[in-house]
Amino acid sequence: MAAPLAAEAPPAWRAVDAATGQIADVAGLEQLARDFPDSASVRLRLFNAQLQAGEGEGALASLRWLAARGHVFSERARAQIPDLIGPAHAEAARAMLAGAPQVIAASTVFGTLPAEAGLIESVIVVPGEEGALASSVSRRTLFALGPNSEWIEVPVPRAQALSGLASAPDGSLGWVASANIDGAAPDPAGFTGLIGLTGDMGDLLMIPAPEGVAVSDLAVGPDGSVYASDPVGGGVYRRVPGKTALEALVPPGTFRSPQGLAVSADGARLYVSDFRYGLAAVELGSGAVRRLASDVPAALDGVDGLWLHRGELVAVQNGTSPMRICAFRLSDDGTRIVGHRILEQAHPDWTEPLGGSIADGVLYYVATGQWDRYDKGALREGMKPLPTVIRRLPLGAR
């Protein structure tokens, strides 16, 4: 959930949203929508402001924009919007208000972690499905898939909440992010940064993050550089092979809430999901940040997990309505979105899809996220943990 960038304005991503991101007037939100023309979150804010201001024609244009990108309103909103938009535009609005979202269920179950594993954030699967590793935010531990499809707890010394998982290109080294991302009571002995999994839990590679940085999502480039996003501080960090600490690639405050990361095949560019505003591209040589524009009608915000596969950015969009998993085809130069397909949407067995990994042309992902059941590292009052289902989604040909 970041801040704005005009399409050609380097390198400031925060063009309009300044300090708080709380723009309420129509004119300010119209400018924000120009800066982020592919964000459904921004367009919804503009739509609500237009309704409140009695600007029926503008509200109808925003509704048309949302409908073209598959946005589905709640049943209550669908009943209210025609009255709110005014009699001159009520029938046109009613025609654009889709009913229940189309269900696209293309995945199968890969495995299920027991409820005792707690809040699972991500999973990484070994090619050939010869093993898997999942990270637990609440248990502050890893779970490995063992014989007979049993998940075995793997304690990680000094771990805080464990979230993002990634591996070196040759699979020789795994990485997990450790940080207090869930607001639990601080652990003075806890480690914040990247933990390199060498295969020996007594000989981990500890790469500390800068003071005040909480790393979460991870990606690894073709040269072995590891990239980490800080969804709270708004920066992106990099660990170059051989270095003993993370360094700032994109300064804190540049984005509002950077989450999923993906590195281009040539290692020249890092794609970043800024949750409420859309996708950005960071030129790794210069550090310049630019908005990734779309040539086709597509909502590029609400992206949690992000991966690059055969020229497409595969995105778990749990911040859109409906929730979905999409593949955004990149232009040959990697600077624009030129195609869009929905791989899975509104799956009846989802709670909230989260992180995962791609192996052998298949996306493995957490399908039953439980962030709504936890607060500050513990279960909310009256809540019980649920088993966590990992699903496998073949990506197919673009």
Side-chain angles (χ1 to χ4, degrees), residues 186-213:
D187 178 4
F191 173 78
T192 298
L194 307 183
I195 300 177
L197 306 172
T198 64
D200 180 355
M201 298 307 290
D203 184 29
L204 299 173
L205 185 58
M206 312 295 276
I207 306 297
E211 184 70 26
V213 170

Side-chain angles (χ1 to χ4, degrees), residues 61-374:
S62 290
L63 188 59
R64 186 176 297 112
W65 185 100
L66 290 162
R69 287 153 183 83
H71 181 82
V72 175
F73 288 89
S74 68
E75 183 177 357
R76 180 181 179 186
R78 294 198 300 270
Q80 293 176 335
I81 287 171
D83 292 333
L84 294 173
I85 207 167
H89 305 289
E91 284 306 312
R94 193 172 287 111
M96 285 187 282
L97 290 166
Q102 178 189 6
V103 172
I104 302 174
S107 61
T108 56
V109 173
F110 168 72
T112 302
L113 286 96
E116 294 74 24
L119 173 53
I120 298 295
E121 172 64 14
S122 190
V123 62
I124 191 166
V125 175
V126 178
E129 298 187 352
E130 295 182 358
L133 200 64
S135 56
S136 176
V137 171
S138 58
R139 289 292 294 267
R140 285 151 163 70
T141 189
L142 296 172
F143 286 84
L145 184 60
N148 303 317
S149 300
E150 294 178 340
W151 291 87
I152 301 167
E153 188 167 4
V154 182
V156 182
R158 299 179 58 201
Q160 297 201 75
L162 297 179
S163 54
L165 286 164
S167 66
D170 62 1
S172 60
L173 181 65
W175 294 96
V176 62
S178 171
N180 185 18
I181 62 169
D182 58 353
D187 178 4
F191 173 78
T192 298
L194 307 183
I195 300 177
L197 306 172
T198 64
D200 180 355
M201 298 307 290
D203 184 29
L204 299 173
L205 185 58
M206 312 295 276
I207 306 297
E211 184 70 26
V213 170
V215 290
S216 182
D217 287 76
L218 304 181
V220 181
D223 67 345
S225 292
V226 187
Y227 301 89
S229 58
D230 178 359
V232 178
V236 178
Y237 299 84
R238 171 171 55 187
R239 186 262 180 174
V240 176
K243 297 291 185 179
T244 59
L246 279 169
E247 60 183 14
L249 171 66
V250 179
T254 302
F255 296 113
R256 181 118 181 255
S257 183
Q259 302 204 20
L261 305 171
V263 187
S264 63
D266 60 4
R269 185 175 294 113
L270 178 70
Y271 297 103
V272 181
S273 158
D274 199 354
F275 196 73
R276 290 298 178 199
Y277 290 100
L279 300 177
V282 181
E283 300 299 329
L284 294 176
S286 65
V289 180
R290 293 184 180 274
R291 179 175 58 78
L292 189 64
S294 180
D295 295 350
V296 296
L300 303 184
D301 61 317
V303 174
D304 188 345
L306 188 70
W307 306 268
L308 183 63
H309 178 69
R310 295 183 178 177
E312 292 181 306
L313 286 171
V314 178
V316 169
Q317 291 185 287
N318 57 24
T320 55
S321 177
M323 293 186 287
R324 54 199 175 203
I325 300 175
C326 291
F328 300 107
R329 181 157 56 91
L330 289 165
S331 59
D332 290 342
D333 63 3
T335 63
R336 304 182 324 282
I337 300 297
V338 297
H340 170 230
R341 59 193 180 110
I342 299 175
L343 305 177
E344 199 157 37
Q345 175 174 275
H347 197 295
D349 295 335
W350 283 353
T351 55
E352 180 187 32
L354 297 174
S357 62
I358 293 175
D360 300 327
V362 174
L363 173 66
Y364 299 86
Y365 68 94
V366 175
T368 51
Q370 301 184 64
W371 278 99
D372 62 332
R373 307 182 78 83
Y374 285 81

